[in-house]
Amino acid sequence: MISRRNIRVKVMQTLYALDSMDQAAKPGEPVRLLKRQFDQTRQLLVYVIHFLTEVARYAETDSRNRASKHLPSAADLVVNTKIAGNSLLWKILEDQSFSTAVKEEMVDRYLDKELIRKIYHQLADSDIYKEYISEQSRDPKTEKALIDYVYSNLLITNEAFTSHLEEHFNNWDDDCEMVNLLVQNYLSKPGTYNFNEILSADKWQFAKSLVETVLDKDALTLDLIKPKLKNWDPDRIATLDMILMRMGVCEFLYFETIPPKVTINEYIDLAKEYSTPQSGQFVNGILDSIHKDLLRDDKFQKVTYKK
């Protein structure tokens, strides 16, 4: 589910948190912090999908509320609830992995019932919804198109909804792009995710090994980085830049299956996105120079890190 790029971001964030601590991390704490990063992503992902299903299911609540009025109108008594039986919606609701995750994460506690009501009514007033309920058939493409519309047009681009997420999930800003992609992929193939393990065993091993290697090989990586800084004071370099360079050097030396060019490109992109405007070029120059030195001195012999 989660790409190696996303994993690098989580490792970077974990190392930054450790660097910001007033005291040395306790044994096992770095890995616990890293795991917590992925647990927060899982909870956010589950909640966004759950909120989406609640909007779709609100049609039945709206129907009951309108029918129970003291003096319901004719329109109140014939509310169309077709979306509540949407075939894609029910594939999600019948996904045992997802249902279990909803219960385990207790995401119902974050639901804003009034926001759900407002978004549902925005949907009900839309032309695409009126066209949808006018058709009695359930074409799979049309069923999916409507759920996609709710997610893409009424949730993820809705300032009220994103503000709601920011209020309850402090990782929203960092994870929004990743979660958005994961949700879109899931809507295309519901039932294919194992929400209990958003990281496969090999990807978790990569994440765990990367954070442990960077911490254990701190002195070695700095010995390679500092000579390249020339007139730069290491203490004045952006903390994230230094973390990204340390991660890159560790990948050069200890991660056998990752080509150096991939490593350099990944950390250039991360530096551009998460650090300063000049960081991409800076990180590129340092890592490229270290890579060339390792090749020249025949020291580019990757050996898998063992703790």
Side-chain angles (χ1 to χ4, degrees):
M1 291 170 66
I2 293 180
S3 69
R4 280 199 171 186
R5 182 188 184 282
N6 298 139
I7 291 171
R8 289 182 177 95
V9 171
K10 294 300 180 186
V11 171
M12 176 194 76
Q13 291 168 339
T14 300
L15 292 169
Y16 186 83
L18 290 167
D19 187 79
S20 303
M21 288 182 174
D22 294 330
Q23 56 189 21
K26 298 176 182 178
E29 189 169 8
V31 173
R32 286 194 293 272
L33 285 174
L34 180 63
K35 185 178 183 300
R36 192 178 305 154
Q37 293 271 3
F38 291 113
D39 289 344
Q40 290 174 339
T41 299
R42 173 186 188 250
Q43 186 183 59
L44 175 58
L45 172 64
V46 170
Y47 181 71
V48 171
I49 298 173
H50 182 53
F51 194 100
L52 171 63
T53 65
E54 289 297 296
V55 171
R57 297 177 69 185
Y58 192 83
E60 292 183 324
T61 301
D62 183 56
S63 177
R64 288 193 299 270
N65 290 344
R66 292 175 64 176
S68 62
K69 288 181 179 179
H70 177 59
L71 293 173
S73 66
D76 289 330
L77 298 175
V78 291
V79 175
N80 192 305
T81 59
K82 180 182 177 182
I83 190 175
N86 182 282
S87 58
L88 176 56
L89 169 67
W90 279 94
K91 284 181 181 179
I92 298 171
L93 296 176
E94 292 173 350
D95 178 357
Q96 190 59 50
S97 176
F98 173 69
S99 299
T100 300
V102 169
K103 292 177 183 177
E104 289 179 349
E105 296 293 347
M106 297 183 290
V107 291
D108 273 334
R109 59 188 156 157
Y110 301 126
L111 288 175
D112 183 333
K113 299 294 179 65
E114 179 60 17
L115 182 58
I116 290 171
R117 186 190 70 80
K118 287 181 178 179
I119 293 174
Y120 167 76
H121 282 295
Q122 289 174 12
L123 171 65
D125 289 339
S126 68
D127 291 337
I128 189 172
Y129 186 75
K130 291 173 182 176
E131 182 178 350
Y132 170 77
I133 61 175
S134 70
E135 297 289 335
Q136 293 188 354
S137 63
R138 289 194 180 276
D139 175 66
K141 288 184 178 180
T142 305
E143 295 282 89
K144 182 178 184 300
L146 186 70
I147 299 298
D148 284 341
Y149 174 80
V150 177
Y151 176 70
S152 299
N153 294 74
L154 302 180
L155 293 188
I156 209 64
T157 56
N158 183 334
E159 186 175 343
F161 179 64
T162 55
S163 295
H164 168 68
L165 293 178
E166 288 173 359
E167 178 183 352
H168 295 289
F169 300 91
N170 59 20
N171 58 317
W172 168 247
D173 284 343
D174 291 324
D175 285 357
C176 58
E177 289 185 16
M178 172 175 52
V179 168
N180 182 34
L181 181 60
L182 290 172
V183 171
Q184 290 178 333
N185 289 342
Y186 181 71
L187 294 180
S188 294
K189 294 182 178 180
T192 57
Y193 283 1
N194 180 355
F195 286 92
N196 192 44
E197 294 180 2
I198 64 169
L199 275 184
S200 60
D202 62 318
K203 286 185 176 179
W204 168 244
Q205 185 58 44
F206 168 65
K208 180 171 171 287
S209 295
L210 185 54
V211 78
E212 290 178 336
T213 305
V214 172
L215 292 171
D216 190 61
K217 300 298 181 180
D218 183 54
L220 185 149
T221 55
L222 288 178
D223 283 346
L224 291 172
I225 293 169
K226 283 183 178 179
K228 302 296 180 184
L229 300 180
K230 296 180 180 178
N231 298 325
W232 289 87
D233 179 354
D235 293 332
R236 299 185 66 183
I237 293 172
T239 301
L240 277 181
D241 289 356
M242 188 62 79
I243 288 171
L244 293 171
M245 290 187 291
R246 288 163 57 202
M247 291 170 66
V249 172
C250 284
E251 283 193 25
F252 283 163
L253 296 173
Y254 300 105
F255 290 80
E256 299 176 83
T257 62
I258 304 175
K261 193 171 253 188
V262 170
T263 291
I264 293 173
N265 288 338
E266 288 285 354
Y267 288 107
I268 291 171
D269 288 345
L270 292 179
K272 287 178 180 177
E273 184 170 352
Y274 289 94
S275 196
T276 70
Q278 297 80 28
S279 291
Q281 186 176 356
F282 176 65
V283 168
N284 178 29
I286 301 297
L287 290 182
D288 185 60
S289 181
I290 292 172
H291 174 229
K292 288 175 180 175
D293 285 355
L294 291 172
L295 287 174
R296 182 197 64 209
D297 298 336
D298 198 27
K299 292 181 180 179
F300 206 88
Q301 307 294 327
K302 289 199 177 201
V303 178
T304 300
Y305 168 72
K306 293 182 181 178
K307 191 174 179 181

mmCIF file of all heavy atoms in Angstrom, residues 271-305:
data_model
loop_
_atom_site.group_PDB
_atom_site.id
_atom_site.type_symbol
_atom_site.label_atom_id
_atom_site.label_comp_id
_atom_site.label_asym_id
_atom_site.label_seq_id
_atom_site.Cartn_x
_atom_site.Cartn_y
_atom_site.Cartn_z
ATOM 1 N N ALA A 271 14.129 16.736 -0.366
ATOM 2 C CA ALA A 271 14.714 18.007 0.075
ATOM 3 C C ALA A 271 13.940 19.191 -0.504
ATOM 4 O O ALA A 271 13.671 20.173 0.187
ATOM 5 C CB ALA A 271 16.188 18.067 -0.342
ATOM 6 N N LYS A 272 13.566 19.095 -1.768
ATOM 7 C CA LYS A 272 12.796 20.162 -2.403
ATOM 8 C C LYS A 272 11.444 20.348 -1.724
ATOM 9 O O LYS A 272 10.977 21.472 -1.524
ATOM 10 C CB LYS A 272 12.562 19.836 -3.880
ATOM 11 C CG LYS A 272 13.780 19.980 -4.777
ATOM 12 C CD LYS A 272 13.419 19.587 -6.199
ATOM 13 C CE LYS A 272 14.594 19.699 -7.154
ATOM 14 N NZ LYS A 272 14.239 19.235 -8.517
ATOM 15 N N GLU A 273 10.813 19.247 -1.375
ATOM 16 C CA GLU A 273 9.455 19.311 -0.844
ATOM 17 C C GLU A 273 9.411 19.681 0.635
ATOM 18 O O GLU A 273 8.516 20.413 1.068
ATOM 19 C CB GLU A 273 8.752 17.963 -1.043
ATOM 20 C CG GLU A 273 7.304 17.975 -0.597
ATOM 21 C CD GLU A 273 6.535 16.733 -1.010
ATOM 22 O OE1 GLU A 273 7.085 15.916 -1.791
ATOM 23 O OE2 GLU A 273 5.396 16.565 -0.548
ATOM 24 N N TYR A 274 10.372 19.183 1.415
ATOM 25 C CA TYR A 274 10.256 19.334 2.864
ATOM 26 C C TYR A 274 11.239 20.321 3.498
ATOM 27 O O TYR A 274 11.058 20.705 4.640
ATOM 28 C CB TYR A 274 10.429 17.963 3.543
ATOM 29 C CG TYR A 274 9.261 17.043 3.311
ATOM 30 C CD1 TYR A 274 9.268 16.124 2.270
ATOM 31 C CD2 TYR A 274 8.128 17.112 4.117
ATOM 32 C CE1 TYR A 274 8.194 15.289 2.043
ATOM 33 C CE2 TYR A 274 7.043 16.282 3.901
ATOM 34 C CZ TYR A 274 7.081 15.368 2.864
ATOM 35 O OH TYR A 274 6.016 14.549 2.645
ATOM 36 N N SER A 275 12.278 20.732 2.761
ATOM 37 C CA SER A 275 13.261 21.632 3.354
ATOM 38 C C SER A 275 13.215 22.999 2.684
ATOM 39 O O SER A 275 12.143 23.494 2.356
ATOM 40 C CB SER A 275 14.655 21.004 3.276
ATOM 41 O OG SER A 275 15.556 21.649 4.148
ATOM 42 N N THR A 276 14.361 23.613 2.431
ATOM 43 C CA THR A 276 14.395 24.973 1.887
ATOM 44 C C THR A 276 14.385 24.957 0.355
ATOM 45 O O THR A 276 14.643 23.912 -0.255
ATOM 46 C CB THR A 276 15.660 25.697 2.365
ATOM 47 O OG1 THR A 276 16.812 25.107 1.729
ATOM 48 C CG2 THR A 276 15.822 25.582 3.876
ATOM 49 N N PRO A 277 14.127 26.106 -0.290
ATOM 50 C CA PRO A 277 14.110 26.149 -1.759
ATOM 51 C C PRO A 277 15.434 25.712 -2.399
ATOM 52 O O PRO A 277 15.450 25.184 -3.513
ATOM 53 C CB PRO A 277 13.821 27.629 -2.058
ATOM 54 C CG PRO A 277 13.084 28.122 -0.864
ATOM 55 C CD PRO A 277 13.685 27.392 0.301
ATOM 56 N N GLN A 278 16.544 25.922 -1.706
ATOM 57 C CA GLN A 278 17.863 25.567 -2.261
ATOM 58 C C GLN A 278 18.288 24.145 -1.887
ATOM 59 O O GLN A 278 19.328 23.665 -2.350
ATOM 60 C CB GLN A 278 18.935 26.543 -1.746
ATOM 61 C CG GLN A 278 18.744 27.995 -2.163
ATOM 62 C CD GLN A 278 17.709 28.715 -1.310
ATOM 63 O OE1 GLN A 278 17.505 28.368 -0.150
ATOM 64 N NE2 GLN A 278 17.043 29.712 -1.880
ATOM 65 N N SER A 279 17.497 23.478 -1.062
ATOM 66 C CA SER A 279 17.936 22.196 -0.498
ATOM 67 C C SER A 279 18.095 21.096 -1.536
ATOM 68 O O SER A 279 18.988 20.249 -1.419
ATOM 69 C CB SER A 279 16.959 21.748 0.592
ATOM 70 O OG SER A 279 17.053 22.600 1.709
ATOM 71 N N GLY A 280 17.232 21.085 -2.543
ATOM 72 C CA GLY A 280 17.327 20.036 -3.562
ATOM 73 C C GLY A 280 18.677 20.049 -4.247
ATOM 74 O O GLY A 280 19.339 18.998 -4.383
ATOM 75 N N GLN A 281 19.095 21.223 -4.682
ATOM 76 C CA GLN A 281 20.380 21.358 -5.365
ATOM 77 C C GLN A 281 21.538 21.044 -4.413
ATOM 78 O O GLN A 281 22.520 20.407 -4.796
ATOM 79 C CB GLN A 281 20.520 22.782 -5.913
ATOM 80 C CG GLN A 281 21.763 23.000 -6.760
ATOM 81 C CD GLN A 281 21.801 24.405 -7.361
ATOM 82 O OE1 GLN A 281 20.869 25.176 -7.195
ATOM 83 N NE2 GLN A 281 22.871 24.717 -8.053
ATOM 84 N N PHE A 282 21.414 21.500 -3.166
ATOM 85 C CA PHE A 282 22.462 21.280 -2.174
ATOM 86 C C PHE A 282 22.644 19.793 -1.890
ATOM 87 O O PHE A 282 23.758 19.253 -1.937
ATOM 88 C CB PHE A 282 22.109 22.034 -0.887
ATOM 89 C CG PHE A 282 23.068 21.814 0.245
ATOM 90 C CD1 PHE A 282 24.384 22.239 0.152
ATOM 91 C CD2 PHE A 282 22.650 21.180 1.415
ATOM 92 C CE1 PHE A 282 25.274 22.045 1.197
ATOM 93 C CE2 PHE A 282 23.527 20.987 2.459
ATOM 94 C CZ PHE A 282 24.841 21.424 2.358
ATOM 95 N N VAL A 283 21.542 19.095 -1.584
ATOM 96 C CA VAL A 283 21.592 17.663 -1.284
ATOM 97 C C VAL A 283 22.096 16.885 -2.492
ATOM 98 O O VAL A 283 22.896 15.943 -2.364
ATOM 99 C CB VAL A 283 20.202 17.159 -0.829
ATOM 100 C CG1 VAL A 283 20.150 15.628 -0.788
ATOM 101 C CG2 VAL A 283 19.858 17.734 0.541
ATOM 102 N N ASN A 284 21.668 17.274 -3.683
ATOM 103 C CA ASN A 284 22.119 16.635 -4.913
ATOM 104 C C ASN A 284 23.644 16.724 -5.038
ATOM 105 O O ASN A 284 24.327 15.726 -5.302
ATOM 106 C CB ASN A 284 21.449 17.289 -6.120
ATOM 107 C CG ASN A 284 21.913 16.711 -7.433
ATOM 108 O OD1 ASN A 284 22.288 15.546 -7.509
ATOM 109 N ND2 ASN A 284 21.912 17.526 -8.480
ATOM 110 N N GLY A 285 24.190 17.936 -4.830
ATOM 111 C CA GLY A 285 25.625 18.127 -4.973
ATOM 112 C C GLY A 285 26.435 17.298 -3.998
ATOM 113 O O GLY A 285 27.432 16.667 -4.374
ATOM 114 N N ILE A 286 26.006 17.250 -2.736
ATOM 115 C CA ILE A 286 26.751 16.513 -1.716
ATOM 116 C C ILE A 286 26.682 15.010 -1.965
ATOM 117 O O ILE A 286 27.709 14.310 -1.962
ATOM 118 C CB ILE A 286 26.211 16.844 -0.305
ATOM 119 C CG1 ILE A 286 26.320 18.340 -0.015
ATOM 120 C CG2 ILE A 286 26.954 16.025 0.744
ATOM 121 C CD1 ILE A 286 27.723 18.885 0.013
ATOM 122 N N LEU A 287 25.479 14.490 -2.185
ATOM 123 C CA LEU A 287 25.338 13.052 -2.390
ATOM 124 C C LEU A 287 26.036 12.590 -3.663
ATOM 125 O O LEU A 287 26.682 11.535 -3.689
ATOM 126 C CB LEU A 287 23.854 12.659 -2.429
ATOM 127 C CG LEU A 287 23.092 12.741 -1.099
ATOM 128 C CD1 LEU A 287 21.641 12.273 -1.296
ATOM 129 C CD2 LEU A 287 23.760 11.895 -0.017
ATOM 130 N N ASP A 288 25.924 13.376 -4.724
ATOM 131 C CA ASP A 288 26.582 13.009 -5.982
ATOM 132 C C ASP A 288 28.099 12.972 -5.806
ATOM 133 O O ASP A 288 28.771 12.061 -6.309
ATOM 134 C CB ASP A 288 26.197 14.005 -7.075
ATOM 135 C CG ASP A 288 26.742 13.602 -8.439
ATOM 136 O OD1 ASP A 288 26.390 12.496 -8.901
ATOM 137 O OD2 ASP A 288 27.512 14.376 -9.026
ATOM 138 N N SER A 289 28.649 13.918 -5.082
ATOM 139 C CA SER A 289 30.090 13.963 -4.854
ATOM 140 C C SER A 289 30.554 12.775 -4.015
ATOM 141 O O SER A 289 31.585 12.151 -4.303
ATOM 142 C CB SER A 289 30.462 15.277 -4.156
ATOM 143 O OG SER A 289 31.848 15.359 -3.954
ATOM 144 N N ILE A 290 29.791 12.444 -2.960
ATOM 145 C CA ILE A 290 30.141 11.293 -2.121
ATOM 146 C C ILE A 290 30.071 10.006 -2.929
ATOM 147 O O ILE A 290 30.947 9.134 -2.829
ATOM 148 C CB ILE A 290 29.203 11.217 -0.897
ATOM 149 C CG1 ILE A 290 29.477 12.397 0.036
ATOM 150 C CG2 ILE A 290 29.379 9.895 -0.148
ATOM 151 C CD1 ILE A 290 28.496 12.531 1.179
ATOM 152 N N HIS A 291 29.043 9.896 -3.764
ATOM 153 C CA HIS A 291 28.898 8.711 -4.618
ATOM 154 C C HIS A 291 30.105 8.544 -5.534
ATOM 155 O O HIS A 291 30.660 7.443 -5.674
ATOM 156 C CB HIS A 291 27.607 8.837 -5.424
ATOM 157 C CG HIS A 291 27.409 7.761 -6.440
ATOM 158 N ND1 HIS A 291 27.060 8.018 -7.750
ATOM 159 C CD2 HIS A 291 27.555 6.410 -6.353
ATOM 160 C CE1 HIS A 291 26.971 6.875 -8.414
ATOM 161 N NE2 HIS A 291 27.261 5.883 -7.584
ATOM 162 N N LYS A 292 30.547 9.634 -6.151
ATOM 163 C CA LYS A 292 31.707 9.570 -7.051
ATOM 164 C C LYS A 292 32.979 9.187 -6.298
ATOM 165 O O LYS A 292 33.806 8.404 -6.800
ATOM 166 C CB LYS A 292 31.893 10.916 -7.748
ATOM 167 C CG LYS A 292 30.833 11.200 -8.802
ATOM 168 C CD LYS A 292 30.974 12.607 -9.393
ATOM 169 C CE LYS A 292 29.889 12.865 -10.444
ATOM 170 N NZ LYS A 292 29.940 14.256 -10.949
ATOM 171 N N ASP A 293 33.140 9.697 -5.080
ATOM 172 C CA ASP A 293 34.315 9.354 -4.274
ATOM 173 C C ASP A 293 34.324 7.873 -3.907
ATOM 174 O O ASP A 293 35.370 7.217 -3.951
ATOM 175 C CB ASP A 293 34.347 10.193 -2.995
ATOM 176 C CG ASP A 293 34.780 11.630 -3.248
ATOM 177 O OD1 ASP A 293 35.139 11.946 -4.415
ATOM 178 O OD2 ASP A 293 34.758 12.422 -2.296
ATOM 179 N N LEU A 294 33.160 7.363 -3.541
ATOM 180 C CA LEU A 294 33.074 5.943 -3.181
ATOM 181 C C LEU A 294 33.420 5.052 -4.372
ATOM 182 O O LEU A 294 34.103 4.036 -4.226
ATOM 183 C CB LEU A 294 31.663 5.625 -2.666
ATOM 184 C CG LEU A 294 31.272 6.243 -1.314
ATOM 185 C CD1 LEU A 294 29.792 6.019 -1.030
ATOM 186 C CD2 LEU A 294 32.115 5.663 -0.179
ATOM 187 N N LEU A 295 32.965 5.451 -5.560
ATOM 188 C CA LEU A 295 33.289 4.688 -6.766
ATOM 189 C C LEU A 295 34.785 4.783 -7.074
ATOM 190 O O LEU A 295 35.438 3.782 -7.390
ATOM 191 C CB LEU A 295 32.474 5.208 -7.950
ATOM 192 C CG LEU A 295 30.990 4.865 -7.981
ATOM 193 C CD1 LEU A 295 30.309 5.572 -9.148
ATOM 194 C CD2 LEU A 295 30.779 3.352 -8.097
ATOM 195 N N ARG A 296 35.326 5.993 -6.973
ATOM 196 C CA ARG A 296 36.742 6.210 -7.285
ATOM 197 C C ARG A 296 37.656 5.416 -6.352
ATOM 198 O O ARG A 296 38.653 4.822 -6.779
ATOM 199 C CB ARG A 296 37.054 7.695 -7.155
ATOM 200 C CG ARG A 296 38.500 8.087 -7.494
ATOM 201 C CD ARG A 296 38.817 9.461 -6.946
ATOM 202 N NE ARG A 296 38.746 9.466 -5.488
ATOM 203 C CZ ARG A 296 38.435 10.526 -4.760
ATOM 204 N NH1 ARG A 296 38.148 11.688 -5.339
ATOM 205 N NH2 ARG A 296 38.393 10.448 -3.436
ATOM 206 N N ASP A 297 37.291 5.366 -5.079
ATOM 207 C CA ASP A 297 38.135 4.695 -4.095
ATOM 208 C C ASP A 297 37.786 3.219 -3.920
ATOM 209 O O ASP A 297 38.299 2.556 -3.018
ATOM 210 C CB ASP A 297 38.010 5.407 -2.744
ATOM 211 C CG ASP A 297 38.477 6.854 -2.812
ATOM 212 O OD1 ASP A 297 39.281 7.168 -3.716
ATOM 213 O OD2 ASP A 297 38.024 7.661 -1.981
ATOM 214 N N ASP A 298 36.895 2.743 -4.809
ATOM 215 C CA ASP A 298 36.465 1.341 -4.766
ATOM 216 C C ASP A 298 35.889 0.971 -3.391
ATOM 217 O O ASP A 298 36.123 -0.113 -2.871
ATOM 218 C CB ASP A 298 37.627 0.402 -5.107
ATOM 219 C CG ASP A 298 37.124 -1.003 -5.498
ATOM 220 O OD1 ASP A 298 35.982 -1.104 -5.989
ATOM 221 O OD2 ASP A 298 37.869 -1.976 -5.291
ATOM 222 N N LYS A 299 35.137 1.917 -2.825
ATOM 223 C CA LYS A 299 34.513 1.671 -1.528
ATOM 224 C C LYS A 299 33.004 1.491 -1.659
ATOM 225 O O LYS A 299 32.295 1.417 -0.652
ATOM 226 C CB LYS A 299 34.801 2.840 -0.580
ATOM 227 C CG LYS A 299 36.261 2.948 -0.183
ATOM 228 C CD LYS A 299 36.470 4.104 0.776
ATOM 229 C CE LYS A 299 37.925 4.226 1.192
ATOM 230 N NZ LYS A 299 38.149 5.374 2.108
ATOM 231 N N PHE A 300 32.566 1.432 -2.915
ATOM 232 C CA PHE A 300 31.122 1.291 -3.122
ATOM 233 C C PHE A 300 30.744 -0.189 -3.126
ATOM 234 O O PHE A 300 30.260 -0.735 -4.105
ATOM 235 C CB PHE A 300 30.710 1.965 -4.438
ATOM 236 C CG PHE A 300 29.276 2.417 -4.422
ATOM 237 C CD1 PHE A 300 28.932 3.671 -3.940
ATOM 238 C CD2 PHE A 300 28.256 1.592 -4.857
ATOM 239 C CE1 PHE A 300 27.621 4.089 -3.906
ATOM 240 C CE2 PHE A 300 26.937 2.000 -4.825
ATOM 241 C CZ PHE A 300 26.626 3.257 -4.353
ATOM 242 N N GLN A 301 31.012 -0.827 -2.010
ATOM 243 C CA GLN A 301 30.682 -2.241 -1.854
ATOM 244 C C GLN A 301 29.523 -2.336 -0.862
ATOM 245 O O GLN A 301 29.724 -2.347 0.347
ATOM 246 C CB GLN A 301 31.890 -3.029 -1.332
ATOM 247 C CG GLN A 301 33.155 -2.839 -2.155
ATOM 248 C CD GLN A 301 33.009 -3.409 -3.562
ATOM 249 O OE1 GLN A 301 32.317 -4.408 -3.762
ATOM 250 N NE2 GLN A 301 33.657 -2.782 -4.525
ATOM 251 N N LYS A 302 28.326 -2.363 -1.368
ATOM 252 C CA LYS A 302 27.158 -2.356 -0.487
ATOM 253 C C LYS A 302 27.127 -3.616 0.354
ATOM 254 O O LYS A 302 27.270 -4.726 -0.137
ATOM 255 C CB LYS A 302 25.858 -2.255 -1.289
ATOM 256 C CG LYS A 302 25.639 -0.883 -1.917
ATOM 257 C CD LYS A 302 24.176 -0.715 -2.286
ATOM 258 C CE LYS A 302 23.923 0.667 -2.843
ATOM 259 N NZ LYS A 302 22.522 1.063 -2.761
ATOM 260 N N VAL A 303 26.920 -3.417 1.660
ATOM 261 C CA VAL A 303 26.791 -4.539 2.587
ATOM 262 C C VAL A 303 25.558 -4.288 3.426
ATOM 263 O O VAL A 303 25.412 -3.228 4.031
ATOM 264 C CB VAL A 303 28.032 -4.634 3.521
ATOM 265 C CG1 VAL A 303 27.845 -5.785 4.507
ATOM 266 C CG2 VAL A 303 29.298 -4.812 2.698
ATOM 267 N N THR A 304 24.667 -5.255 3.454
ATOM 268 C CA THR A 304 23.446 -5.081 4.214
ATOM 269 C C THR A 304 23.755 -4.847 5.685
ATOM 270 O O THR A 304 24.542 -5.589 6.291
ATOM 271 C CB THR A 304 22.529 -6.319 4.074
ATOM 272 O OG1 THR A 304 22.208 -6.484 2.698
ATOM 273 C CG2 THR A 304 21.250 -6.142 4.881
ATOM 274 N N TYR A 305 23.159 -3.802 6.244
ATOM 275 C CA TYR A 305 23.410 -3.455 7.646
ATOM 276 C C TYR A 305 22.853 -4.525 8.566
ATOM 277 O O TYR A 305 21.747 -5.011 8.397
ATOM 278 C CB TYR A 305 22.743 -2.116 7.973
ATOM 279 C CG TYR A 305 22.692 -1.787 9.439
ATOM 280 C CD1 TYR A 305 23.847 -1.428 10.125
ATOM 281 C CD2 TYR A 305 21.492 -1.846 10.136
ATOM 282 C CE1 TYR A 305 23.800 -1.120 11.482
ATOM 283 C CE2 TYR A 305 21.436 -1.541 11.489
ATOM 284 C CZ TYR A 305 22.597 -1.177 12.158
ATOM 285 O OH TYR A 305 22.549 -0.879 13.492
#
